[in-house]
Amino acid sequence: MDPFALAMWVVTLILFLIALLKDKEKTLQSMKKSKGMMGNMLGSIISIILLIGLVLTLIPPENIEKALGSSNQVLSSIIAAVAGSVTLIPAFVAFPLVGSLVDAGASIVPGVAFLTTLTMVGLVTFPLEKQEFGMKFAITRNGISFIFALIIAIGMGVLL
Amino acid sequence: MKIVNFLKQNKFLSLVLLAYLVSFATRPQFAAEAFGNSAYYFKEMMLIMPMIFLLTVVIDILIPKEVILKNLGEDSGFKGGLLALILGSISAGPIYAAFPVGKLLLKKGASISNIVVILSAWAVIKVPMLANEAKFLGVEFMGTRWVLTVVSIFAMGAIVSAIVKKEDLPKAQSSSNFVFVNQKYCTGCSLCANMGPMLFEMANGKATIKQQPMVPKQKAAVKNIANQCPANAIFIP
């Protein structure tokens, strides 16, 4: 667990104890409500995790690396953004992957597009987002995030 | 029968399980590899989700609706956006962990644009991740991407909230029995106090709520009053 997750655990636990001391009845009631909400999400989260496994096996990081390093920059940036939207690989894999590409002389634009859609756009988490916030919200947020990921990537290409 | 019903209600899960079954039958090695690839994410979920569960309870109990409405609501302005950015950045966990928190904040009066900022910052800006990025791609790369991302996140919040309205969001099943009067918008016409004297009264020329939470039975009537309010100042989160 990274230190931030650990810190968040500690802070949350302390606050939870404060909530219990403040109003035990209400806290227990709220836990029941929250349990219902989380229970509704659990099936979707497990599906997401299993789906990530499938996608990672279908599109291994090595293939992504190939796509990001291709010579046609416009095409490879778009492919990179799509690949980032579909997959969900951990940051500690993604950063070295893009780092090695940039060190090898590839343009940073596809790399940035990939890194940004990787976290901000979630095709795999879409069903859950739709369930929690509605279709319109999920489509708009993911669509606009995709466009902005490309804008950020182009901006990086211009600035660096 | 129970299983059939469960699968019907969880179409997404059923589809994924079906994909696993098919690949297990045709290429067992592939299925095993896919399942193995999921292991890391299972671990992540087990570490984070119980904390998210407690966190939603903490927000629900310790932070009054008025505070969220004031600091993250429609009128919270740039300060609200900044708070959303900080909240998202210091949180740990994958983006789906942000969904229950975002949903709860939304229910308690946070604006859509601030929720988009929290979700996006939660997903992209992680302090440990920034350190990792600087290590592999350099401080300049990390810093520039951070600045561009923060600017984009604010722009995205504004654009999404221009397109998506609160009415477009799914109605919460256990929606609240609280009602608020936005003192900024209230013109003091006393329509609500006349229509629902049980719940609304006039104080210092503005409508106020007599008693919180309202009785569930009153809800339909209050909604009707809220719709008729000429200033749209009555608000049920």
Side-chain angles (χ1 to χ4, degrees):
Chain A
M1 208 185 307
D2 68 73
F4 267 74
L6 198 65
M8 206 173 161
W9 255 109
V10 173
V11 171
T12 306
L13 275 178
I14 293 171
L15 290 175
F16 179 70
L17 286 177
I18 294 173
L20 263 181
L21 288 175
K22 200 180 153 207
D23 194 333
K24 199 176 158 195
E25 193 91 343
K26 255 175 85 184
T27 305
L28 292 178
Q29 216 173 26
S30 170
M31 280 177 81
K32 264 187 210 149
K33 234 169 51 186
S34 188
K35 199 179 123 200
M37 180 165 84
M38 299 295 251
N40 281 339
M41 289 180 68
L42 196 63
S44 298
I45 292 175
I46 291 173
S47 326
I48 288 170
I49 290 171
L50 289 172
L51 189 59
I52 295 171
L54 275 181
V55 171
L56 278 181
T57 317
L58 280 173
I59 320 171
E62 304 88 71
N63 284 17
I64 295 171
E65 194 165 354
K66 254 183 249 159
L68 298 199
S70 104
S71 53
N72 185 336
Q73 245 198 67
V74 177
L75 192 68
S76 65
S77 298
I78 291 171
I79 292 175
V82 173
S85 311
V86 176
T87 53
L88 246 173
I89 63 174
F92 63 80
V93 177
F95 288 131
L97 191 151
V98 174
S100 68
L101 277 172
V102 174
D103 289 341
S107 156
I108 60 168
V109 177
V112 175
F114 176 71
L115 285 178
T116 309
T117 54
L118 194 59
T119 43
M120 216 151 56
V121 185
L123 220 62
V124 185
T125 50
F126 187 85
L128 182 61
E129 192 169 345
K130 187 189 116 192
Q131 177 193 324
E132 297 301 307
F133 296 100
M135 183 65 121
K136 196 168 174 189
F137 180 92
I139 287 188
T140 313
R141 195 195 68 78
N142 282 290
I144 287 173
S145 294
F146 187 87
I147 295 168
F148 268 98
L150 288 174
I151 293 174
I152 292 171
I154 294 165
M156 287 288 281
V158 173
L159 289 173
L160 294 184
Chain B
M1 258 341 263
K2 245 186 175 171
I3 297 173
V4 176
N5 276 335
F6 177 81
L7 290 179
K8 260 188 194 161
Q9 275 164 18
N10 293 276
K11 285 199 192 97
F12 182 32
L13 182 60
S14 314
L15 278 175
V16 176
L17 288 179
L18 185 71
Y20 266 89
L21 270 180
V22 169
S23 57
F24 192 74
T26 52
R27 289 168 60 195
Q29 222 176 352
F30 176 88
E33 197 184 326
F35 194 73
N37 277 334
S38 298
Y40 166 82
Y41 298 94
F42 269 113
K43 209 179 118 199
E44 182 182 55
M45 178 187 82
M46 306 294 266
L47 284 175
I48 297 294
M49 290 319 274
M51 185 251 297
I52 297 294
F53 167 73
L54 292 180
L55 185 65
T56 54
V57 174
V58 165
I59 294 173
D60 197 25
I61 299 297
L62 292 182
I63 310 179
K65 285 202 164 87
E66 295 82 359
V67 172
I68 292 176
L69 190 62
K70 187 173 156 243
N71 292 297
L72 288 171
E74 304 293 345
D75 303 324
S76 60
F78 179 70
K79 254 165 112 183
L82 203 63
L83 180 63
L85 183 76
I86 293 169
L87 285 178
S89 300
I90 60 169
S91 302
I95 188 168
Y96 64 72
F99 292 162
V101 177
K103 196 179 179 187
L104 181 67
L105 290 174
L106 206 53
K107 214 169 101 184
K108 292 193 115 184
S111 69
I112 288 187
S113 84
N114 285 337
I115 293 302
V116 171
V117 171
I118 290 180
L119 292 182
S120 309
W122 191 304
V124 188
I125 306 171
K126 282 273 156 336
V127 180
M129 250 159 68
L130 292 178
N132 205 316
E133 183 172 356
K135 186 175 137 203
F136 285 103
L137 291 152
V139 175
E140 199 191 354
F141 182 102
M142 182 275 284
T144 315
R145 197 170 82 97
W146 184 82
V147 171
L148 288 173
T149 306
V150 168
V151 174
S152 303
I153 284 175
F154 283 126
M156 278 157 45
I159 296 172
V160 174
S161 73
I163 298 173
V164 184
K165 298 290 166 211
K166 285 227 159 143
E167 301 86 78
D168 299 322
L169 302 173
K171 298 271 171 288
Q173 297 101 335
S174 57
S175 71
S176 83
N177 289 320
F178 285 82
V179 55
F180 297 101
V181 176
N182 189 332
Q183 301 289 331
K184 248 192 215 165
Y185 298 160
C186 177
T187 55
C189 72
S190 72
L191 178 80
C192 53
N194 290 331
M195 283 179 77
M198 304 278 281
L199 204 63
F200 297 95
E201 63 184 350
M202 304 304 292
N204 301 324
K206 301 267 182 188
T208 52
I209 312 294
K210 269 183 172 171
Q211 166 207 338
Q212 294 271 34
M214 60 181 157
V215 188
K217 266 192 210 156
Q218 293 176 318
K219 223 171 159 178
V222 172
K223 268 193 184 147
N224 180 30
I225 296 172
N227 285 336
Q228 304 217 12
C229 171
N232 268 332
I234 301 169
F235 160 67
I236 304 165

